Amino acid sequence: MARGMVTDHGIWKYLNPANYFRRSTRLALLFILFISLSMVVWDRHTRGQDHEFEVSKLNKQVLRLQLMLGDVKGVKENVTMRTLKNVKEDPVDAQRMQRVKEAMIHAWSSYEKYAWGKDELQPQTKDGVDSFGGLGATIIDSLDTLYIMGLQEQFHKAREWVATSLDFDKDYDASMFETTIRVVGGLLSSYDLSGDKLFLEKAKDIADRLLPAWDTPSGIPYNIINLRHGNAHNPTWAGGDSNLAESGTEQLEFIALSQRTGDPKYQQKVEKVISVLNKNYPADGLLPVYINPDTAKPSYSTITFGGSGDSFYEYLLKVWVFGSKTLAVKHYRDMWEKSMNGLVSLVKKSTPSSFTYICEKSGSSLIHKMDELACFAPGMLALGASGYDDPSEAKKFLTLSEELAWTCYNFYESTPTKLAGENYVFKSGSDMSVGASSNILRPETVESLFYLWRLTGNKTYQDWGWNIFEAFEKNSRIETGYVGLKDVKTGVKDNKMQSFFLAETLKYLYLLFSPTTVIPLDEWVFNTEAHPLKIVPWKNQVNSGQSNSVQQHKPTNTLRQRRFGG
């Protein structure tokens, strides 16, 4: 009975509407409670719908990423290169990366507006020029840079041009070297990144047109070939000789083409060059820059790690890396180590500042001059240092790499514009002075800074690269693109935006500030035009007709596209 009284006058009264109608305050509270409950129910319903939408989006993203990443098992099995992994993202790096990306957009949009389809842009006169026979060099050179930076709209427009307008059937005497590193390399890299077979088919087309250049008595190729008729020769000013760098810098591209198509003919041509040279390879590993294509014997000429010699030595190392450092490519490494011992014999220090530099050699005489082109060497040495069995040798060459990088950086810092000249002369007591004073937007120093950053983790190299980028922005950027300088001392501008500025300089600067998972060095090898080629297991001899397809692996910077406006 007492419990019934509590129910009637205790709990029940709060459920009785009359109790509220008699008191306005209670009625207001009831109304507020009703509205609040309705809002909670509505919010849960809405959030449930939003959650379902977000989950759906995430599932699509996961599926897309799984397709992008693919199956990359086995690529790293034979690769033990020391490289940075899982470096924490730095907000300063992210800002710098975005600035470089904006520079690429400016360069590309200027080319689109004033020189579309031409080989290169002339920004000051707002027109284009066909420096390479009208092969659209800037478009092909830029494809992988656009892809890596997540510039999808620009990449697809470039891809459409390749599909509809790129024609190699031209009565044009092409540089076999330039066409290989820019066109074959650019197309293969775009294929490796995107998986689009259009690029592979185009790479086969141009490579087939270049193959007759290797039809010489020794197998050392001629350096010029007509793309339509297949007539190959060397320039008359070379006295009939072939150039060392131009004859020994096709191995990466043509081996990659054989591995991706299953057709051994490309690999056989370029590997014969190395076999022939290796038969009588000098003890110091240093070859003059001219070789007789009939006999494969070196002609009396300069020895240099600058222009005409540089990339031959670079490819000895990179083919070894590209071949997963297996026994099949050990002779490349052996030749490279011989050549590095020879390089050490050319190294001197300036006075009074002790800048380390690489001399050239003519006969038995040293020439105390170093090209900016030779500034690829610090990166090459850093890349190769970890492959020495002797830790003391590894340390020696890494130290040499760092010393040379400091010199190359000072090529920039020592001029009023903070941009490097083409070469530098070293004299006792006065360190270095600019020789040829032009700057054509070259990439070699920032290339080496990229390697040293990735392989040592020393952020100083990022800072140096940033200073160089800012010097380009200050001196070379104009409203209609980027130009070189006729003179780094006065800042007078030229009228050419080199295609390698988009292919190499801006790409290496972007990667200098990118997460280390973007084009990692244990999965990709850069050709000498900075086109990354995917490392895949390959055999010394490819069976004709059996395709060794590349496991596609898009760079993980696509995860960052929303953040950077991809």
Side-chain angles (χ1 to χ4, degrees):
M1 189 69 171
R3 184 168 303 210
M5 292 285 292
V6 172
T7 300
D8 290 342
H9 297 286
I11 295 173
W12 173 248
K13 68 179 180 179
Y14 295 104
L15 302 177
N16 185 356
N19 183 54
Y20 293 92
F21 291 135
R22 292 194 296 267
R23 294 172 175 82
S24 57
T25 303
R26 291 181 181 178
L27 180 60
L29 289 172
L30 179 64
F31 181 75
I32 292 170
L33 179 62
F34 174 79
I35 294 297
S36 299
L37 287 170
S38 299
M39 289 178 68
V40 168
V41 171
W42 174 259
D43 181 63
R44 287 177 63 85
H45 176 71
T46 303
R47 283 200 288 178
Q49 288 181 325
D50 289 345
H51 176 71
E52 290 175 1
F53 178 70
E54 289 296 325
V55 168
S56 175
K57 284 204 305 183
L58 287 171
N59 284 335
K60 289 178 181 178
Q61 289 285 340
V62 168
L63 179 59
R64 182 173 64 87
L65 290 172
Q66 287 173 339
L67 291 172
M68 282 170 24
L69 290 171
D71 179 14
V72 294
K73 293 179 181 178
V75 174
K76 299 181 185 178
E77 288 177 0
N78 295 315
V79 182
T80 58
M81 181 184 301
R82 177 178 174 271
T83 184
L84 295 180
K85 293 288 185 182
N86 302 319
V87 174
K88 187 176 181 181
E89 184 178 330
D90 186 330
V92 173
D93 290 347
Q95 292 172 6
R96 291 175 172 181
M97 201 174 143
Q98 178 65 14
R99 283 280 307 281
V100 177
K101 183 175 179 178
E102 289 168 355
M104 178 65 185
I105 292 171
H106 176 63
W108 176 259
S109 60
S110 298
Y111 170 79
E112 270 192 299
K113 185 174 182 179
Y114 300 112
W116 183 250
K118 295 289 186 178
D119 284 329
E120 292 177 311
L121 167 66
Q122 298 184 133
Q124 303 234 51
T125 51
K126 301 180 183 179
D127 57 10
V129 60
D130 282 334
S131 318
F132 302 99
L135 302 181
T138 293
I139 295 176
I140 298 175
D141 250 351
S142 299
L143 276 164
D144 53 11
T145 306
L146 295 170
Y147 192 97
I148 290 166
M149 290 187 181
L151 297 171
Q152 296 181 9
E153 181 180 341
Q154 294 90 332
F155 175 81
H156 288 304
K157 181 174 181 179
R159 188 260 181 212
E160 185 64 20
W161 184 89
V162 170
T164 60
S165 301
L166 180 58
D167 180 15
F168 297 127
D169 185 23
K170 296 178 182 293
D171 187 9
Y172 171 70
D173 285 350
S175 163
M176 190 263 295
F177 165 75
E178 296 288 357
T179 307
T180 296
I181 66 171
R182 296 171 190 253
V183 182
V184 180
L187 291 168
L188 284 175
S189 178
S190 300
Y191 170 67
D192 281 3
L193 288 163
S194 70
D196 190 332
K197 290 186 177 180
L198 165 72
F199 299 122
L200 183 61
E201 290 302 316
K202 289 289 186 180
K204 280 181 59 182
D205 183 359
I206 187 62
D208 286 339
R209 295 172 185 272
L210 298 178
L211 278 179
W214 279 269
D215 294 337
T216 67
S218 70
I220 301 296
Y222 294 121
N223 296 153
I224 296 173
I225 187 164
N226 186 280
L227 295 181
R228 176 173 293 167
H229 303 295
N231 303 324
H233 63 279
N234 281 330
T236 54
W237 52 261
D241 286 337
S242 297
N243 179 274
L244 175 63
E246 296 195 9
S247 303
T249 309
E250 292 79 30
Q251 283 69 29
L252 277 177
E253 295 84 358
F254 277 68
I255 291 172
L257 188 57
S258 279
Q259 297 300 325
R260 284 143 182 76
T261 63
D263 189 335
K265 65 183 179 182
Y266 310 105
Q267 184 168 346
Q268 289 170 352
K269 290 287 189 183
V270 295
E271 294 223 280
K272 183 178 179 181
V273 174
I274 301 303
S275 297
V276 168
L277 293 176
N278 196 24
K279 285 179 181 177
N280 297 296
Y281 206 56
D284 62 3
L286 299 178
L287 286 172
V289 296
Y290 289 113
I291 300 173
N292 187 308
D294 294 329
T295 65
K297 291 181 179 180
S299 300
Y300 183 86
S301 52
T302 304
I303 289 171
T304 180
F305 279 83
S308 296
D310 48 7
S311 52
F312 167 74
Y313 303 103
E314 174 190 356
Y315 271 36
L316 291 179
L317 174 69
K318 287 185 173 179
V319 172
W320 176 71
V321 176
F322 192 58
S324 300
K325 308 178 185 178
T326 58
L327 188 62
V329 288
K330 186 178 182 298
H331 59 293
Y332 284 91
R333 175 76 195 197
D334 292 342
M335 291 172 72
W336 182 79
E337 289 192 8
K338 271 189 181 181
S339 298
M340 292 310 99
N341 290 333
L343 180 148
V344 170
S345 72
L346 304 178
V347 170
K348 300 295 178 184
K349 287 185 180 290
S350 72
T351 56
S353 302
S354 292
F355 288 117
T356 302
Y357 62 97
I358 307 171
C359 294
E360 296 181 350
K361 190 175 183 180
S362 179
S364 59
S365 301
L366 293 182
I367 304 167
H368 295 265
K369 176 179 79 74
M370 181 174 171
D371 291 350
E372 196 280 337
L373 281 166
C375 286
F376 85 98
M380 175 189 66
L381 290 167
L383 186 65
S386 65
Y388 281 96
D389 295 328
D390 183 349
S392 65
E393 286 289 282
K395 183 178 179 180
K396 179 181 81 173
F397 282 102
L398 182 58
T399 299
L400 176 58
S401 165
E402 293 175 319
E403 291 174 355
L404 287 169
W406 170 240
T407 301
C408 290
Y409 176 60
N410 277 277
F411 285 177
Y412 287 78
E413 283 294 295
S414 61
T415 72
T417 57
K418 305 299 182 185
L419 289 176
E422 273 288 282
N423 56 54
Y424 285 76
V425 177
F426 293 82
K427 293 181 179 179
S428 179
S430 58
D431 284 325
M432 59 176 132
S433 59
V434 178
S437 59
S438 59
N439 179 291
I440 58 172
L441 308 171
R442 287 201 187 276
E444 286 75 21
T445 297
V446 293
E447 171 187 353
S448 285
L449 297 179
F450 159 72
Y451 279 109
L452 280 162
W453 152 242
R454 283 284 183 96
L455 296 167
T456 71
N458 187 342
K459 294 184 74 66
T460 297
Y461 300 118
Q462 291 182 303
D463 293 335
W464 292 355
W466 182 248
N467 291 340
I468 292 171
F469 172 73
E470 289 197 309
F472 279 127
E473 288 292 286
K474 181 179 179 180
N475 296 282
S476 294
R477 180 170 177 151
I478 62 176
E479 185 180 349
T480 51
Y482 287 84
V483 293
L485 300 183
K486 294 180 180 179
D487 191 332
V488 295
K489 292 176 283 190
T490 65
V492 175
K493 295 173 172 56
D494 69 15
N495 188 30
K496 176 75 73 73
M497 187 173 77
Q498 305 280 346
S499 77
F500 58 65
F501 181 66
L502 293 81
E504 300 184 73
T505 310
L506 291 178
K507 183 187 286 127
Y508 281 129
L509 283 166
Y510 183 82
L511 292 173
L512 182 61
F513 306 113
S514 298
T516 55
T517 50
V518 180
I519 315 296
L521 293 178
D522 55 359
E523 296 181 19
W524 299 84
V525 173
F526 290 91
N527 86 336
T528 198
E529 190 79 3
H531 296 307
L533 300 172
K534 187 71 180 294
I535 299 171
V536 297
W538 53 278
K539 296 179 181 179
N540 191 38
Q541 196 65 256
V542 182
N543 294 321
S544 181
Q546 294 180 356
S547 176
N548 183 13
S549 61
V550 178
Q551 299 170 7
Q552 299 306 324
H553 173 45
K554 298 185 182 181
T556 53
N557 72 312
T558 48
L559 294 170
R560 303 167 57 83
Q561 286 181 2
R562 283 174 52 192
R563 181 170 182 178
F564 289 102

